[in-house]
Amino acid sequence: MREGCRAGGGGRMECSWKTVLLLVCASLGVQYTAIRTLRDSLSGPCQGAYRCHSRRHGEPLSLCDDGWMSVESPRKHILVFATTRSGSSFTGQLLNQHPEVFYVFEPLYHVQQAFTNSSSRIRRTLDRRALLGAYRDLLLNLYTCDLHFMENYIRPEPQDHVTSSFFRRSSSHALCSPPVCSEEEAAASSDLPDESWCPKRCGALNLSLASMSCLSKRLVAVKTVRIP
């Protein structure tokens, strides 16, 4: 008996399983070809992302000519996640020495302190998921260079985006260098070995200037051991 489709009772079409499988494969092949064709037509002849740089009015514009400049790659994110006494501070300081790295030492400490210092009634309503959510939100904002978000957790609360209570600020070279700290103060204190000079010479931390410094770097590195 030849396999295929035939009319059944009640006007229904009955097909063998081999025919159904063949139709499914053919349909998938057509869809795959259509998707590939559409993707190739949208991507154009040049690879990567491009933006229009400049051209004179009325000039024809080719996608691959000099009028199109490659968009800079996004800022890289580094998370040093470790247990205590594991050498993570040393690893973080290696990253801190690079001039293109904006390094922050254990910023989640502020979240932990804010939750711990809450009243006992509030602490009972906070579960592990809420705490981890606060950690996640802070890391996300740090990686987008929004240091103002930390004002929700720094105690005492910063005034006009200025604080003297940033945890281990001196562990971050970027937070003790221009534009966060003036050229004169940073130069005068560059040879001091301990971490106490930064708040003494540079004064309170301006989080707006810290965000500007972060935006000027190609990498943002965060070291933490505070996640429970």
Side-chain angles (χ1 to χ4, degrees):
M1 180 178 179
R2 180 179 298 177
E3 295 182 350
C5 297
R6 60 184 177 83
R12 294 178 301 175
M13 185 67 70
E14 297 179 354
C15 301
S16 67
W17 68 269
K18 291 183 179 180
T19 303
V20 173
L21 181 61
L22 180 62
L23 291 174
V24 170
C25 292
S27 176
L28 292 175
V30 171
Q31 294 181 46
Y32 175 77
T33 303
I35 293 173
R36 284 291 302 271
T37 303
L38 179 62
R39 187 185 66 179
D40 293 341
S41 64
L42 291 177
S43 62
C46 298
Q47 300 297 323
Y50 292 84
R51 60 180 172 83
C52 183
H53 181 59
S54 63
R55 69 186 180 99
R56 296 179 181 177
H57 179 70
E59 287 185 351
L61 180 62
S62 171
L63 185 60
C64 297
D65 64 12
D66 294 336
W68 287 79
M69 303 294 291
S70 177
V71 175
E72 295 181 358
S73 59
R75 188 174 293 103
K76 300 296 189 300
H77 304 151
I78 302 173
L79 177 62
V80 180
F81 178 68
T83 59
T84 56
R85 304 300 179 185
S86 62
S88 58
S89 296
F90 176 77
T91 303
Q93 285 305 313
L94 292 178
L95 297 171
N96 192 34
Q97 303 308 309
H98 197 286
E100 287 298 324
V101 173
F102 185 87
Y103 175 71
V104 185
F105 181 92
E106 298 190 20
L108 301 186
Y109 169 83
H110 292 290
V111 178
Q112 186 185 47
Q113 290 298 106
F115 275 61
T116 302
N117 294 335
S118 302
S119 66
S120 58
R121 182 179 62 83
I122 295 178
R123 283 203 304 270
R124 285 195 297 269
T125 64
L126 297 174
D127 58 7
R128 177 181 172 84
R129 181 176 300 179
L131 183 60
L132 293 179
Y135 287 153
R136 175 204 60 204
D137 293 342
L138 180 56
L139 285 175
L140 176 62
N141 282 273
L142 285 176
Y143 282 134
T144 56
C145 294
D146 182 12
L147 272 74
H148 297 114
F149 190 80
M150 295 191 67
E151 297 181 21
N152 296 314
Y153 305 106
I154 296 177
R155 298 294 182 271
E157 187 175 347
Q159 300 296 321
D160 297 324
H161 309 304
V162 176
T163 179
S164 299
S165 304
F166 197 94
F167 181 64
R168 295 287 296 273
R169 171 191 177 183
S170 299
S171 296
S172 172
H173 180 72
L175 296 180
C176 300
S177 305
V180 183
C181 187
S182 66
E183 295 275 1
E184 295 78 9
E185 299 296 346
S189 307
S190 60
D191 57 343
L192 297 180
D194 62 276
E195 293 186 355
S196 62
W197 68 265
C198 185
K200 293 179 180 178
R201 295 294 185 96
C202 297
L205 175 63
N206 188 314
L207 295 174
S208 297
L209 294 178
S211 296
M212 291 174 55
S213 176
C214 177
L215 290 170
S216 68
K217 308 295 184 181
R218 292 192 297 109
L219 299 97
V220 178
V222 175
K223 179 259 182 182
T224 182
V225 295
R226 297 290 180 177
I227 297 179

